[in-house]
Amino acid sequence: EVQLVESGGGLVQPGGSLRLSCAASGLTFNRNAMTWVRQAPGKGLEWVSSIYDNGDSTYYADSVKGRFTISRDNSKNTLSLQMNTLRAEDTAIYYCATGRGTYWGRGTLVIVAS
Amino acid sequence: DVVMTQSPLSLPVTLGQPASISCRSSQSLVHRDGNIYLNWFQQRPGQSPRRLIYKVSNRDSGVPDRISGSGSGTDFTLKISRVEAEDVATYYCIQGTHWPYTFGQGTKLEIK
């Protein structure tokens, strides 16, 4: 059974940083592109970032480009999202998913507020 | 960026009746590899999204055959032939052809 488990969410002040992690099991991690998607409270889904299976290529939504960094450790089956210079509008549930969304985690909540 | 426009945004349907959701893209979704990366997701209240359809018309494992996807170019449709109570959810299309990937606004299906 494929499992994606996000962690690292919490309350952070505007301008602060947070690092999200996603632990993957039940799949050949190093053969899967991975993606972060977020959902602000009561809003729709927003694609945030993706990374190719070997980590060589990364892509970002304009709303997070220059502030967020996606990375992966294939030796640990782990996906990460480093989020810097956080804004109130980054408040959302952050989901980890395989490339084009075959599998999803349950999400981790990030709240940016003072 | 590719803009994905769904309609309607709210869809009241009587149990047992069909439902149809439209998703239009602002540019062609044909990838240079020849595939069209248009997927449909279902998100039930309080749950994570679940993929239903990939590459326009391919059903994911466990998706009932009363749910189908179709379309080409810039115009795509998700159809439910007979709505059941378990179909109450918000449905999203997403294009995975062009970076950045983009979702539609979502269509909320409710029972009339």
Side-chain angles (χ1 to χ4, degrees), chain A residues 37 39 44-45 47 50 52 59 62 95 100-102 104-106, chain B residues 1 37 39 41 43 47-49 51 60 92 96 99-101 103:
Chain A
V37 172
Q39 186 169 35
L45 300 173
W47 174 84
S50 292
Y52 276 8
Y59 301 89
D62 291 343
Y95 295 101
R100 287 190 172 98
T102 313
W104 291 67
R106 293 191 174 184
Chain B
D1 297 358
Y37 294 104
N39 298 342
F41 289 87
Q43 187 177 33
Q47 294 187 13
S48 299
R51 197 176 70 180
D60 273 279
Y92 298 90
W99 298 107
Y101 292 175
F103 283 96

Side-chain angles (χ1 to χ4, degrees), chain B residues 9-109:
Chain B
L9 300 185
S10 178
L11 184 56
V13 183
T14 301
L15 285 173
Q17 293 301 301
S20 180
I21 300 170
S22 169
C23 176
R24 288 182 174 164
S25 59
S26 60
Q27 59 184 272
S28 172
L29 297 186
V30 179
H31 193 272
R32 60 177 177 270
D33 67 7
N35 289 307
I36 298 176
Y37 294 104
L38 185 285
N39 298 342
W40 288 95
F41 289 87
Q42 176 194 64
Q43 187 177 33
R44 292 175 174 141
Q47 294 187 13
S48 299
R50 166 201 181 195
R51 197 176 70 180
L52 299 176
I53 301 286
Y54 63 97
K55 289 194 284 184
V56 181
S57 59
N58 298 276
R59 261 188 301 272
D60 273 279
S61 175
V63 175
D65 58 10
R66 58 191 178 78
I67 294 177
S68 63
S70 63
S72 62
T74 62
D75 210 340
F76 305 92
T77 303
L78 180 74
K79 290 183 179 176
I80 305 174
S81 59
R82 299 173 309 279
V83 169
E84 298 185 3
E86 66 177 20
D87 299 327
V88 169
T90 301
Y91 294 82
Y92 298 90
C93 61
I94 180 176
Q95 67 82 18
T97 294
H98 305 285
W99 298 107
Y101 292 175
T102 41
F103 283 96
Q105 314 98 299
T107 296
K108 189 171 185 178
L109 187 151

